[in-house]
Amino acid sequence: TITTVDTTVNSIIVTPSATTIDEGSTATINIKLSNEPAPSTTVTIATSNAASVSLSTTTLTFDNVCPGANCWSTNQTVTLTGVEEANETSENVTISATAPAVTSASAVFDTIENDTKPVFTGATSVTENGVAFLTVALSGNPGTARTLNIASSNVLAVNALPATLSFNTTNWNIPESILVSGISDAKIIPEEVTITGSGAGLVKDIV
C-alpha cells in the first residue's frame, strides 16, 4: 500500500469590493479557500483599526461539503462599516484573514472622511478699495478630492476670490490664498462680513 503525501498549500482568497470606504457607509470583502480543507477550516478576520472600520463577523468556517453553505470554493461575504468618529483625517486600515496552516491574505482600505473642515488664517479686516489675503487648508486628509466653495455674506461690501478651491490627499494641508477685496459704497460705518468655506463632504466653517 502506498500513501500519497499531499504537498498542496491551501490559501485564503480575499476579494474586496473597493479600496475605499466612506464614514457611515459600507463595503464588502469576499473570502474563500484555494483548495479543499480536511475536513474544515475556520478563518479569522481582523481589522487593524476597529475604531475606523468594523466587521460584520470575525470568523468564517469552510468545509469540504460541496455544494453546501460552507463549501470551501464558495465566497462568503464580510461587510465592513466605516465608523463615524471624531477623527478628521483619512486612515489606512488593513483587513486580514488568517487560519492555522493556511496562507493568509489581506485587503487594505482608505477611509473617506465626511467631517474634515476648512481652516482659515490671515486678515481680519479690509479697507474699502483695498485688498487683503486669507489662507485656507483642510483640518485633515479627506481621503479623496474635495471642492471648497468660498462665499462672502455680502458681496456689495466684500468680495472673495477664487470662488472654489480644490483639495485632495496630497495638498490638503498646503494653504491656498484667497483674495479679499473691499468694495467702496456710500455707507460710513464698518460692516461685518463673513467668508464661508463649504462643500460636499466637508464641515462648513466661517471667518
Side-chain angles (χ1 to χ4, degrees), residues 88-196:
E88 297 176 8
T89 196
S90 175
E91 292 138 325
N92 189 259
V93 180
T94 299
I95 308 300
S96 59
T98 60
V102 176
T103 302
S104 62
S106 63
V108 178
F109 291 80
D110 290 318
T111 61
I112 304 300
E113 295 296 310
N114 60 11
D115 49 10
T116 304
K117 62 178 178 290
V119 178
F120 291 96
T121 58
T124 57
S125 65
V126 61
T127 59
E128 289 188 352
N129 291 322
V131 296
F133 287 92
L134 292 171
T135 61
V136 63
L138 297 186
S139 60
N141 181 353
T144 190
R146 296 294 192 206
T147 298
L148 180 64
N149 301 306
I150 306 297
S152 166
S153 64
N154 184 355
V155 295
L156 297 179
V158 172
N159 196 23
L161 292 172
T164 60
L165 291 168
S166 298
F167 292 96
N168 54 43
T169 58
T170 59
N171 75 343
W172 63 269
N173 60 346
I174 301 174
E176 297 280 355
S177 293
I178 300 169
L179 176 66
V180 179
S181 301
I183 309 300
S184 180
D185 59 24
K187 294 180 180 179
I188 60 173
I189 59 173
E191 297 167 272
E192 293 287 337
V193 179
T194 59
I195 305 298
T196 301

Side-chain angles (χ1 to χ4, degrees), residues 40-82:
S40 66
T41 295
T42 297
V43 174
T44 299
I45 303 98
T47 171
S48 64
N49 188 345
S52 293
V53 177
S54 63
L55 307 173
S56 61
T57 185
T58 56
T59 58
L60 296 172
T61 299
F62 295 91
D63 58 31
N64 55 12
V65 180
C66 299
N70 298 322
C71 176
W72 62 272
S73 61
T74 301
N75 277 315
Q76 296 189 43
T77 300
V78 178
T79 300
L80 317 179
T81 300

